[in-house]
Each structure stands twice: as structure tokens, then as C-alpha cells.
Amino acid sequence: MEKELGNVVTERILPPTEQEVSNEIDVKVKKYMRGEGANLEVLKDKKLKGQLSAIEDLYGKSAKAAAEVEKWLMPSEGGYLETEGLEKTWRIKQETISHEVDILSRRNQHDIILPALGPYSIDYTSNGRYMAIAGRKGHLALVDMKDLNLIKEFQVKETVRDVVFLHNELFFAAAQKKYPYIYNREGTELHCLKEHGSVRRLQFLKNHFLLVSINKFGQLHYQDVTTGSMVGSFRTGLGRTDVMQVNPFNGVIATGHSGGSVAMWKPTSSAPLVKMLCHPGPVSALAFHPNGHLMATSGAERKIKLWDLRKFEVLQTLPGHAKTLDFSQKGLLAYGTGSFVQILGDFSGAQNYNRYMAHSMAKGYQIGKILFRPYEDVLGIGHSMGWSSILIPGSGEPNFDTWVANPFETSKQRREKEVRSLLDKLPPETISLNPTKIGTLMAVKKKEKKTKKERDAEEEAAVDAAKGITMKKKTKGRNKPTKREKKKHEIIEKAKRPFLHEQIKEEELSRKKSRLSEEVELPKSLQRFARKKTAT
Amino acid sequence: MGEVRQKKRQEKEKSTGKKKHSKVFLKKNKSNDKRRLNRRGPQLAPSIRREVGQVKEDTESDNYEVSDCSEGETFPGDVYEYEEAAPEEESRKNHRYDTVDNYDYELPDHFKDEDVSSDDEEIDGRNGKGNLTEDSDDDNSKKDDGSHARMLQSITGMPREAFEGKKKSKIVISEAYQESEYNPSRDVLDGNGRISIEDLLNPLQGKPGYSMLRKRIHQTEKKSMALQAPLPKADQEKVERKVAYEQSKKEVSKWEPIVKKNREASTLYLGEDVDLGYSTVGAIASEFKPRTEIEKKIASLVHDGKIMEAHKNDGSKLLELNKVSFEDEKDRQNRLAKMRSLLFRHEMKAKHIKKIKSKTYHRLLKKDRVKEMSVQIEMDPDAAKDLAMKQEFKRAEERMTLKHKNSSRWAKRILSRGLNAQDEGTRAAIAEQLHQHANLTRKMHTLKDSSSSSDESSDEEYSDDQSADESNSRASKLLEKAKEKTLKALEDGEEAPNSGLLALPFMVRGMKKREEAAAEEAKLAIQEFESLSKQLNNSEIENMDTETTNGRRTFGSMKKSAPEPRKKTKSEYYDDTEDEDDTQAGEAVGYDGDNNKSSLFADANIDSDILCEDSKTHQNSVFKSFDETVRDPGPKTTYEVAIFASGTWKKAKDLEKRVDSKPSPIVSSKLEFQGQVTKETMQDVDDQSDSDQELMVDGVLSSANNESYELPSQSDLIRQAFAGDDVEEEFERQKEEILNEENPEPEKPVLLPGWGQWTHVQKKKGLPSWMLKEHELANKKRQEALKNRKDANLKHVIISEKLDKKAEKLYTKTLPFPYTEKDVFEHSIRMPIGPDFNPTSVIGALNRPEVVKKSGVIIKPIEFEEVDPHQKVEEHKQKGQKQKRKNGKTNHGKSAKKMKKVGA
């Protein structure tokens, strides 16, 4: 009864719309608070408490302002297909969609047939404005997707396996027969990266300015494109693969291998961060959700698995074979096999992916690569006969942040952004599984004690060194054999001494420890008198 | 001077004397307070009083008369006069001044004091009871004295004078001075006729504060106690200090709220209110006002409207005349600057080069020059001609003079002595000379020959430029060479060691297998070479694809016999290999060798497996490898197909046949499955036969659309798809390895053989207990470490626990000072405060420094202001970022200031 009354009162105070707004903002504020503040009650230091509470207030204010900004400046919401009754979303064809959408969107539905130069691989810039295509038989092209204008097209007359944009549309790298090359927008060859060898797959880390490649010997190379230095280069030791994908959340590179394992790498260590057995057979494709917590893998045994990367557990196993996988910005998962594309969606919000849409190409087209276009509801498909683009409602992020990526970027803005992003370039060692932990307290490193054997070996070496010392020839009286012997003995003893000291110290420590443990084990009746340990 | 002042005073006294005397005896209530005050006034020493006694009596009596007539008169300036009079009295005391004779008021001799007292009595009776009673007592005592004398006379019989003399003397004693408020009468001093507090209090009755005053007086009367002796000095000082401390504490504590506020403030604003004044020349100039005459004149002239106008017009005209286009001017300047800098640079460079003495440098310079020349020769026919001429000239000269042909005297002498007799250096010099000569006299065409040969060798890489015939011949040569080599290798690799590790049976088996594989490989290679050579004969068409052969060869599937037919078919269908490929055949052979090796390794691995697991027989391993051969082509072909989306029907069929043709009862089911797979891939590939297409559609759609499609159980599926593939086991093994690497297993304790074993009894005892204990402890530790790993419970995950030393600098090493809790610290840094993550409205507040001040501005000391300590926090919140305060600089400054205030 009271509750009801309370509700009535609040409703009287706030009109329903306003209340809705405030609720919405509350949710967003929570998002922008990035977790809860520390429990200040624990603190004994009043000054620190005061400072922290002041800072916390500021954070709250900032979060609120950010939420309001988001509320009023980013109003568009992503939609998706909704059906009535018996209709199913995956039965809706592209043709039906094209009747319902505006002209500009309709332009995004197209098939470009380029039969001559083999299966095509595609890549989009981070703002979704430009697309690079690479035909296996040497066809490289740059397309402005806004007006479908071909910027540059050229033939390199050798196999091109992959293409990837660098930080903006001015540069792109192509993995060619022997080496990867970097071209500029005009098609001028800028660099030939011979160190990488015959590269199978390329990736670019935008925040770290690292070009990552895996070559046919299974070697992983990280090259800094700003300085040209090779940041990391090591062999995976897991055989040849062309399944490599970067986790956009933390910059970790994942490679899928024929043994069914997926390995995750960072440039500063030659051993994989994580190695997991995902499939019993070869891994055929790999994709990461933009939030970095979800990974999709597909194996040759006709299974697609969704992994929770926080727990390294399977969330969902779906039937189906995928030659290529991709997550959209809004979290739709597309996979392509043969000439068929299937899109899965997670509309329940419980990491439960269901069928959302499907699209089949003309018979016989072999899909090589599918890629969602950023900030557009478009899925690009590179296949054996050219490339296609289809509409997938609800796939792209509707609100773009011009500080992150601007699809309508002017050249001046692009220049500005380049400089800014260079200034904000992250060093390669910031790549780790959980980048949010950076800046926090380092985990206490356990001090590695030397084993007894090692110590003995060291002592022996020291003694040997002491024995090896050649004695000076002294003057008459002091060169007696007895004296020499004595001196020698002394030197050896001296060499041994520090080790003895160490040993003694250790023994003492262990004795102390044992004493401490004895102390702790008081009889139960006396335990309550023992000094309580301060809570740490 | 003292005399003059004294006289003045006397005169003054004369004029005011009357008033004074009249006042002394005013016993009105009004003057009562004053009386009390004056009681403490200066008094004469008793000796002087006695001396002057007689004279005073007279003056006093005179005073009384006067006072009677001027009774009732009061003067407002009484207090002042007292102050004037005080030094006078002192002067008397010191005898530096004449005694006051009071000649004006000479008293008659018969004057008697008693009369006056009666007068006194009368007044007293009017005013206070106490006084009256005292006076009456006085009278009584006089009477008593008389009767007493009489009594004494009667008793002793002595004359009356004897007794009265005493009395007389008593009477003689009188006041040394006239009675005034400064020297009150004796009885007043003795306590008779004293003015009590009540007397003073009574007239105040009914006034504001009266009751309180009375109460206090009551209290004091009640608690009347004796005054204590003064404290010792040290104690006194202590007390004083204490009081001073209290006082200063109060003073200081008033600063507390301000200081607290400043300390707690997240930002201090210093010198905010300081106006820095003019900032630009224009601003200063605009303030200028003409003051002097000349300035005014100039101003009037300058600011005259007409002149301004004229100047404007004229100026614009002049400017128009002067017009030189901006670009021209800039251009000219640029040109000049460039020229100047070029000249300068050139000069500097020339100077620098001139100074260099290094021979190496000059040699290099020469070399460069020569190179340049040679380039020029190539590019420029004229230069080439020039050079040719020059060289021709030189050659001619050499031939003519034979300068270098041992014709010099030195050479002749050496030759005459015999070359063998000479030392090394001389011989070399002679040889050099001869060489030079040979060079100079050599014919020109030899040079050309050498260049062409080098061209040939370098051209090999640019096969496109070469004619097809040439390349073909070269390729065939290469092929043949490769063939020979492989054959040789086949023949060579027959020897096997008869002893040692390699002689063990399983090793022998492994070797044999390896040999077999190698032989197969070699055969394959030879066949391929043959096919290639065949191809070479009829290959005319150039095609883009260069991937095929190389890609396949290096793929590692060569170790099986299966690929052979496929390759053949492939070469039939895609007889499009480029000559580039052909030239790289040799290279390919090299790759083959690699692959051989790798395959060998793989086999060796299998062998080791067998070693490890005794249960597995050799046959099994054979099957395994067999399976692999079967399995591998599946994805392989799909890959191929993806590349060439053209007719590969036959190829696929071939594959199928091949698969079928492998009769093996054990693996038949797997083969079936494999066949299925190949069929599917084949179907995928084929875009010509309709029926196949349908099949494909079925296949794909059934996998994608039909969720209810009944799949076999998971384990079945895995077994079917990857039969014999022990992926999981391998992964577990890898994990074990990594775990062992990161947490090494403790070594088993061993004793040296024979050590400590004198008899068989000791042998029975086994290892010493401490060794076992140590081992156990180490084991336990390891188990603990393994249990604490993140991947302890994840069977199929290995999470590396290696510390990244490079990344260590990104973490905080120790908890920063004010924090005591890790949790609190980590929460406090969870929010990014940069401009990328926060709206601009709060970015300032988030990043404001602790102290905001203008540079170059003197910071004023802290000022006192009222601060409500309780309201402060809210105020802080309200003000937010735009908070402006005047504050002290630092803590130190503040404290200094405080001290200053206390001192003041």
C-alpha cells in the first residue's frame, strides 16, 4: 500500500516522460561511472577520504554530463528486422528489404562481378568510408563507398593473399606472393617488407600502429609502421595457417591452427598468452566481438563455437561450417560458407545467438571473406566472382563519434586525426589480455629462491675460480710452500664465505618461521588472548 | 627656571586657593567618591607635619571661615586641579621651595580647633549616622577626661596641672596641613568617620546595575579573606605564560577554519584578483592625453580632420604608385635568399673539402667521380666519345713510350739483378707496373665481352625480358641437374650404421620408413621434373598464376604418395605455368628437400610416440600415416577449387578414385567418410552440372537452415571427422610440457652408486629421510603452484603465467603514499580523466592543478575572513570549478603569518 502511494507521489512530481528520461540517464550514468567507487568507510585517513570523496563527486558529475551528452547528441538507435506472426526474419530476402529502404541504402545492395582475377578479399577503413579489395590474381583497388567511386585500381601481376588498411585510407598493405607491400592511395608502392616473408594474412592494430602478419612458415611478425622497427618476430610453431584475427578490445592477435588450437599472442612475448583447444580439427575461421569478451571459432568438424574469453569457456555451440566469420559493431555474427551467408543475432542479450538473416549468392560463388562495414548496416562479401554488399539491418553502430571515426571526414580532419592518433600511439607492451588492469598494482612477484643444487653449483664455481688464481711469486722468506698453501686455503675459504652466510641466514629464517607457526598454534583456550592480526 | 615655575604656581594657587579650601570641607554626596580616591593622595612625612604644625592650625581656622561663606559652590574641574597640585606638594616635601606661609590667611592666635569640630559634627549629623555617633563619643571622652583628672587629683593629691599637661599636649597635636581631600583629617585616617561602601552605594539605588553591584559587594563581604603573599617570581611567570598562551591560542584558533578550508580545497587560486594592467602598446597609446602645450599643439595638428583626410587620400595615392605585387616581392626575396644561401653553402663546402687531408676520402671522391663518369658515358654519347678519345690517347701514348714496360731505369736495374733476388714489395711493384701496362695496351673489345657475360648472369632474375627459348633451355638444364641430384641422393642414402643407438630395432624400422618415404619423394620429384620438361616443350601460353606449383610443393603434403596423380592431372589441366616457375624449379627442389626433412621429422615423432606408448603397435602408426594421407587432400582440394573456380570435375573424380583405391579394412569407414567429404567438395566446385548443384544446395542448406537435422553424437562425429587424430592428447601433452617448464618437476633424489653402502644392510635402508622429505616438499610446492594457476580447472586451455618484463613498467610497483588499501587505490584510478573520455564541461575540474596562479604575480599573504566551518563543504560543492578565493601561498607562509598576528 505504501509502495503504491509512493509511486503515485513520484508520478505526480515527475511526468512520465521525464521519469523515463531520468531512468534512461541513470542507466547511462552507471555505464559512464565505469564501475563503483571504492568503499571509503574502510579508510582511516580522513584527509584521503575527503580527497577521494571530492574526486568521486567529480567523477559522478562527469558521468552525468557524459550521459546527458549521449542522450541528446546520439539519439539514433539501431533497429533490426521484426516480423509478425509466422514470418521469420531469415526468410526475408534482400529484394524485399530493398523495396522498403531509402535510395542511399539501396545503393549499398550491389554485386560487382569481376570474374577474371579470382577470389577477392576485402577490407574497410575504420570509419567505413573506403574499401580495399584484393583479387588473388593481383588485382588491387580502392573504392570510396560513399559515392561508389573507384579511387585507384591496379594490377600487381602476382598473387595477392590479403589486403589491409593502415591507420587511414591513404595507406594499405597487401600480402603478395613473396612479400607484403605497402601502397598509398595512388597505388604507389611505398615499402616492400621483406622481413615478413611470404605472408598469408595481415592485420593492423590501429592504436598501436602495428602491422601484424603471419607467413607461410607460421612466423608472426609485428612491425611498427611509424618507425619501421620490427617489434616482435617469432615462430608460432603450430604450422601454416591463414586464420588470424585481432581482438579489437585489447590488441591481442589470435591465430587458428590445423591442430584445432587457437593461440593468442602479444608482441612482447614469444610464447602465446593463451592457447586453447577449440576444435578437434583444423580451425577454419575466427572472429572477435567488439567488446572483446566473445570469440567465435569454426572448425572443420562443422561446428561454430562461441567462447567467453573471460572464463575461456564455450558459451554456445552452433552447427554449421564457416569459411569466414565476422562480428558486426552491434554484435551480429555472420558466417559464410560456399555461396551462402548466415547472420546470427543475439537479441535476448543473454549471449544466445539465433538465426537472424540469411543470404545466398548466385550458385557457384565461393565466398572468401565477409566483413561488416562499420557505421552502416551493410555486409561486404568478397567472393570468387567479385564482391557483393548486402543490407543487414541492425548491424552497424548508428551513432558515430567523430573523435573515434568519422565517415564524413574531410581531409583536414583526417590530417588532424592522424597527428592526434600518432601522439596517442600506444606502446606495444600495453597489449595484454586485460588492458584495464594497466596502472593498477602489480601482482606480488614471488621471489624465486635458488634451489640447493643451484647454490651448490654456484659455490663450486666460485671455489674453482678461487683455485685458479695464480699466486704471485713473493720475496725470499714469504715464498715458502707452507705459506703458499696457507694463502691458497685462505682464498678458497674467502670464496666460500658468502655462501655459508647465506645458508646460515636461511636456516635462521626457517627456524623463525617454525617458531612463528608454533606460536600460532596456541591451545584453544588461550587463542582468544592471542594478538589479533590487523586486517590487510 | 625652577623658581619661575614655582612662582607661577604660587600665583595660580592664589587665584584658585579659595576654591580649593572651600572644596575640602564640602561634605556633599557628590564629592564623596572623589574623597575616596584622594585618600591615596600624597602625604607629608610626619616630621615635617610636626614642624609645620603650629602654623597650619592658623591657616586651617582661616580656611574654615572662608569655606563657610563659599559653601555650596562646586567646580567641574576638580580632578584636574588635583593633578596640578600634586607636584607642588612634593616640592614642599623636598624643601626646595619655600614653605607656603599663607600670609593672606593669617589666623588669629586665639583660634581653637575645638570650634571647628563642632561644626564638623553638625554636618556629619546631617549626612551619616556613623559619623555622628563617633563625634558624640569624642565628646564623651572629653568629659570623661575631666572627671578622670579630678579623680586622679583626689586620689594622688597632686596639682591638676600635672594631669592636664598631658592632655594639653594632646590638644596641641593637630593636622600639619589644612584638611583637604588630599590630606584627610586624622580621625578619617584612623577609621573614625570612614566612608563605607554602603555610603557610596546608597545614592545609586534605583539606577541600572545597582542590584548586581550590591550582590557582588555582599559576596565580597561574606568571603572576606586576607590577601595572600605574592607568588615567587618563577611561579608568577609561569602563570603569566599560561595566560598568555590561552590568549594566543584564542588568537590563533580563529585562523583554523580558513587554513582548514585551504588545506581541503582541491585547488588554490592565488593572485586571481591582480590586474596586470596594460598588455599591448595600443592599449597604452590609446590612454595618452596631451598635457604640455607642445603636446597639445601636436595633437591638434595630428587629429585635425582636414589633415587626416588629406593624409588618407595622399597616402593611398602614394601606395598606389608604389604598388608592387606581393607575389613578385616575395618571389624576389625568396630568390635572393636562396642564392645567398646557396653561395654560402657552396663556399663553406669548398672550404671544408679543401681542408680534408684524408687519403681515403680523396680516393673515395675519385671513385665517385669515376663512377659518375661511367654513368655519364652510358647516358651521354658525347661524353662517351670524349672518354674513348682520352683513353685512346692514353693507350697510344703508352704504346709509344712504353712507360710501364720495364723501361725505366729502376726496373731495368731490378731485372738485371734478377727478380728472384728481390724482396716481396719490389716484386709486387714490378708486377703492378706490368699489369698497368697490360691494361693500357689491351684492346677495347675485351671490355665489352666481360660486360655482356655479367649481363647474362644478372638477367636470370628478370625472366620476363628473356626470350622464351633461352629460358626454356635454361630451365631444362636446371631440371636435368635437379634430376641428377635427386637420383644421386637416392643412391647415396643406403648406408645404415650397424651399432649404437641407430642399430636398435625400432630405429632401424624408422629409418627404413624414412628411406621409403624419401625414395617415394624422390621418385615423385623425378616424375615431376619429367612432366615439367615435357611441358616446357609445349608451353607457350603465359598465365598469371604463379602460385600453384610452389604453393603446393611447399605445403608439406609431399610426403605421401597420393599427390602424384593429382599433380599430373593438374599439369594437364593447367598447363599454364610461367617460365618464372620454370626458372624456380631448382628452388622448388630445395623446398622439396625441406619437406622431406619435415616429413622425416613427423615420422620420427610418430616413432617416439610408439616408444612412449607400448600398447600401440607399429602397424597402428602405419595406419595413422595412412589416414593422414587420406585426410589431407580434403581441405587441400577445396582450397584448390576456391582458387580455380573452373572445371575440375575430372580432378575431383580422380581424387575419389584414388581414395577408393586404397583398400584397407580397418580404415574403410573413415575412408567412406572421407569420400563423402571429397564428394561434397567436388560438388561445391562444380558449377557446370546441374544435378551436382542441387546436391550442393542440399548440403549447404541442410547444414545451415535445417536445425532439426539429426547429427550423430558429438563423440561419433569427432571420431568420424578426425579419425586417428589425437589432437586432444597432443594438446594435453603440450600443456603438461608447458606446466613442467613453468613449474619444473623436482628431481628424483638419487644417491651415487656405492655411496654410503658399505654393506647390503645399508642398502636396504634406502635413501636418507631428509632427501625424501625435501623431495616431498618440492613436490607439494609444485602441486600448490599448479593448483593456483588460472588454467588449473580448464582442461583445454593453457594460460601463460610468464611475467612480461617489458610490461612491468605499466603497473604500479608499490601502493602510493596516502593509500593503504589496494582496492581503494585501484578504484580511484578506474576513471580516465583525459579529454577523450569526458565531456568538456568537466574536463577542467577533473584536471585542475593543485595551485592556480599567474606567473610573475606576487602572491599576497593570507587574509582573515569569516568562514563557517560547517557550511564549507556545501559551499565548495556549489561553487564547483569557478571558485575564486584569496589564499595564502603555502603552509609555511600561513604559519608565519599567524605568528605575526599573534605578536601584534
Side-chain angles (χ1 to χ4, degrees), chain A residues 32-40 42-43 45 48 51-52 54-59 61-63 65-66 69 117-119 136-137 155 157-159 161 177-178 200 216-217 231 238 240 259-261 266 268-269 271-277 279-282 300-303 305 311-313 319-321 323 335 337 339-340 342 355 358 363-364 366 384 403 424 427 429-430 432-434 437-442 445-446 452-453 535-536, chain B residues 263 266 544-547 550-551 554-555 580-581 584 587 591 631 639 641-645 680 684-685 687 693 696-697 699-701 703-707 711 714 717-718 721-722 725 727-728 731 734 738 743 747 770 774 781 785 794 796-800 802-833 836-839 841-842 845-846 876-877 880:
Chain A
Y32 281 108
M33 279 301 278
R34 295 173 172 92
E36 278 173 18
N39 182 21
L40 299 182
V42 192
L43 287 177
D45 187 351
L48 180 65
Q51 283 173 347
L52 285 183
I55 289 174
E56 221 32 71
D57 282 345
L58 277 178
Y59 285 170
K61 238 180 255 173
S62 165
V69 166
L117 297 172
R136 184 166 281 273
K137 290 174 189 162
Q155 223 334 340
K157 295 189 180 172
E158 57 178 7
T159 312
R161 297 199 187 87
K177 189 185 170 198
K178 275 186 170 174
R200 310 283 299 188
K216 68 176 177 189
F217 304 114
V231 173
L238 295 165
R240 162 183 301 199
S261 59
K266 65 174 177 179
T268 49
S269 87
L273 284 173
V274 177
K275 199 169 150 191
M276 48 201 287
L277 189 66
H279 294 277
E301 89 282 15
R302 300 187 155 272
K303 282 264 187 300
K305 286 184 180 172
K311 294 195 281 183
F312 297 102
E313 279 172 3
H321 179 255
K323 203 171 168 334
Y335 68 86
T337 172
S339 58
F340 191 79
Q342 173 98 20
R355 268 187 298 172
K363 309 293 180 204
Q366 292 296 312
S384 57
W403 289 82
D424 291 344
E429 54 269 17
T430 54
S432 59
L433 276 183
N434 192 358
K437 279 273 171 281
I438 286 175
T440 57
L441 207 63
M442 195 157 45
K445 201 185 357 179
K446 50 184 174 186
K452 205 188 170 208
K453 208 175 175 191
T536 47
Chain B
R263 280 211 185 133
S266 53
M544 271 307 299
D545 192 285
T546 58
E547 167 73 5
N550 272 348
T554 53
F555 207 79
E580 194 184 323
D581 270 3
Q584 281 166 352
E587 207 181 297
Y591 279 131
R631 185 179 52 86
Y639 174 72
V641 164
I643 298 169
F644 311 106
E680 268 184 22
D684 280 356
V685 162
D687 52 349
Q693 255 182 27
M696 177 207 73
V697 168
V700 171
L701 290 184
S703 71
N705 280 358
N706 214 354
E707 272 196 358
L711 283 166
Q714 175 79 2
L717 198 82
I718 291 172
F722 308 101
D725 209 350
V727 177
E728 286 184 31
F731 190 84
Q734 277 177 4
I738 287 172
N743 309 78
E747 277 185 34
W770 63 268
E774 209 168 60
K781 250 184 202 172
L794 301 164
H796 290 327
V797 179
I798 308 168
I799 300 171
S800 168
K802 272 186 186 168
L803 279 173
D804 189 1
K805 283 210 170 148
K806 278 178 190 165
E808 254 174 26
K809 64 186 173 194
L810 300 172
Y811 295 88
T812 316
K813 283 210 181 67
T814 50
L815 209 57
F817 157 60
Y819 295 98
T820 48
E821 310 271 319
K822 184 189 170 201
D823 199 35
V824 172
F825 168 65
E826 284 179 0
H827 271 100
S828 74
I829 59 162
R830 75 182 193 284
M831 281 275 277
I833 53 169
D836 291 355
F837 306 95
N838 289 295
S841 54
V842 285
L846 273 173
H876 176 258
K877 268 182 191 168

Side-chain angles (χ1 to χ4, degrees), chain A residues 331-458:
Chain A
L332 299 182
L333 173 64
Y335 68 86
T337 172
S339 58
F340 191 79
V341 180
Q342 173 98 20
I343 288 96
L344 307 171
D346 165 35
F347 295 103
S348 61
Q351 312 283 37
N352 186 22
Y353 275 80
N354 291 316
R355 268 187 298 172
Y356 176 51
M357 284 181 78
H359 177 68
S360 56
M361 316 277 303
K363 309 293 180 204
Y365 286 13
Q366 292 296 312
I367 290 171
K369 181 160 181 178
I370 55 175
L371 200 59
F372 280 103
R373 191 175 151 197
Y375 304 105
E376 290 280 355
D377 289 346
V378 170
L379 176 70
I381 306 165
H383 49 77
S384 57
M385 295 291 275
W387 92 79
S388 310
S389 147
I390 57 172
L391 288 182
I392 307 295
S395 68
E397 172 68 45
N399 300 299
F400 59 84
D401 181 354
T402 54
W403 289 82
V404 176
N406 184 2
F408 305 102
E409 202 169 48
T410 61
S411 57
K412 197 166 184 183
Q413 283 169 333
R414 188 191 61 221
R415 265 176 245 140
E416 290 266 316
K417 182 157 186 271
E418 191 172 19
V419 172
R420 212 158 8 84
S421 57
L422 274 173
L423 289 174
D424 291 344
K425 183 182 125 180
L426 294 176
E429 54 269 17
T430 54
I431 295 173
S432 59
L433 276 183
N434 192 358
T436 54
K437 279 273 171 281
I438 286 175
T440 57
L441 207 63
M442 195 157 45
V444 182
K445 201 185 357 179
K446 50 184 174 186
K447 200 182 162 193
E448 277 183 22
K449 251 192 224 163
K450 283 179 206 158
T451 59
K452 205 188 170 208
K453 208 175 175 191
E454 277 172 338
R455 220 185 307 132
D456 285 349
E458 250 175 57

Side-chain angles (χ1 to χ4, degrees), chain B residues 247-357:
Chain B
Q247 203 68 24
S248 63
K249 196 175 155 192
K250 210 198 263 169
E251 185 80 1
V252 168
S253 65
K254 86 172 178 187
W255 289 91
E256 234 161 43
I258 298 182
V259 172
K260 188 158 175 274
K261 192 183 78 175
N262 286 347
R263 280 211 185 133
E264 283 174 358
S266 53
T267 308
L268 285 181
Y269 297 86
L270 304 176
E272 277 285 286
D273 51 345
V274 178
D275 186 16
L276 285 176
Y278 298 118
S279 53
T280 62
V281 179
I284 297 164
S286 68
E287 290 283 291
F288 174 76
K289 269 173 195 153
R291 282 167 302 175
T292 60
E293 244 176 62
I294 192 162
E295 275 175 2
K296 274 174 193 162
K297 249 183 210 172
I298 291 169
S300 69
L301 281 174
V302 167
H303 295 295
D304 192 17
K306 276 178 193 172
I307 291 169
M308 292 265 274
E309 188 106 332
H311 179 76
K312 220 177 182 177
N313 294 334
D314 202 32
S316 63
K317 252 182 224 168
L318 282 171
L319 276 178
E320 266 170 34
L321 283 174
N322 281 346
K323 215 169 205 173
V324 179
S325 81
F326 179 71
E327 280 81 20
D328 281 352
E329 183 57 22
K330 203 167 189 184
D331 217 31
R332 199 182 69 88
Q333 274 183 355
N334 278 342
R335 212 169 48 238
L336 279 175
K338 199 176 174 185
M339 287 304 288
R340 234 175 280 134
S341 77
L342 273 175
L343 271 174
F344 177 70
R345 287 271 165 78
H346 191 259
E347 205 177 340
M348 293 305 288
K349 203 176 177 184
K351 263 185 194 169
H352 178 64
I353 286 169
K354 206 180 166 191
K355 265 188 184 169
I356 292 173
K357 283 175 184 158

Side-chain angles (χ1 to χ4, degrees), chain B residues 111-120 142 170-172:
Chain B
F111 177 77
K112 271 183 184 173
D113 207 5
E114 272 72 12
D115 294 340
V116 181
S117 72
S118 70
D119 192 24
D120 237 333
K142 268 182 211 163
K170 215 182 194 175
I171 290 160
V172 168

Side-chain angles (χ1 to χ4, degrees), chain B residues 678-739:
Chain B
T678 43
K679 214 182 262 172
E680 268 184 22
T681 54
M682 170 201 77
Q683 286 155 1
D684 280 356
V685 162
D686 206 327
D687 52 349
Q688 281 157 357
S689 83
D690 288 340
S691 60
D692 280 352
Q693 255 182 27
E694 278 172 16
L695 266 174
M696 177 207 73
V697 168
D698 280 347
V700 171
L701 290 184
S702 64
S703 71
N705 280 358
N706 214 354
E707 272 196 358
S708 60
Y709 168 64
E710 274 233 344
L711 283 166
S713 69
Q714 175 79 2
S715 55
D716 268 1
L717 198 82
I718 291 172
R719 218 185 318 125
Q720 271 184 346
F722 308 101
D725 209 350
D726 50 344
V727 177
E728 286 184 31
E729 277 168 39
E730 197 167 312
F731 190 84
E732 269 160 38
R733 213 188 61 233
Q734 277 177 4
K735 183 166 181 178
E736 193 68 28
E737 266 172 32
I738 287 172
L739 291 188

